[in-house]
Amino acid sequence: MGSDYHLHMNSAFFERFGVVLILFGSSYICLGLLGVVPLELTGVSISNIRIPAGIAIVGCLIAAFSTKNR
């Protein structure tokens, strides 16, 4: 269990964290389009469409960069 094990576990954590962000952002947008949760085009709250979309994009980047060694 050297430093390679630590890097692999850290990478797996960030990969899962990225997937969670993707699922959260995508789910919120889908629910907003269905009218279940509020989804706005203006404002600076979580209900603005840019915020959950940005969360999903950041999740994609985190998951992609954390899997670069595999």
Side-chain angles (χ1 to χ4, degrees), residues 1-69:
M1 290 201 193
S3 63
D4 188 38
Y5 176 76
H6 178 67
L7 290 175
H8 177 68
M9 291 304 293
N10 200 11
S11 174
F13 168 75
F14 280 118
E15 182 180 355
R16 289 185 184 120
F17 180 66
V19 171
V20 167
L21 291 179
I22 293 167
L23 291 175
F24 171 76
S26 301
S27 299
Y28 193 91
I29 291 173
C30 289
L31 290 174
L33 293 174
L34 293 174
V36 177
V37 295
L39 194 61
E40 304 172 350
L41 295 176
T42 59
V44 289
S45 65
I46 189 69
S47 62
N48 186 338
I49 194 169
R50 291 178 288 180
I51 303 298
I55 290 172
I57 291 170
V58 168
C60 288
L61 292 172
I62 290 172
F65 284 113
S66 66
T67 58
K68 65 182 176 184
N69 294 331

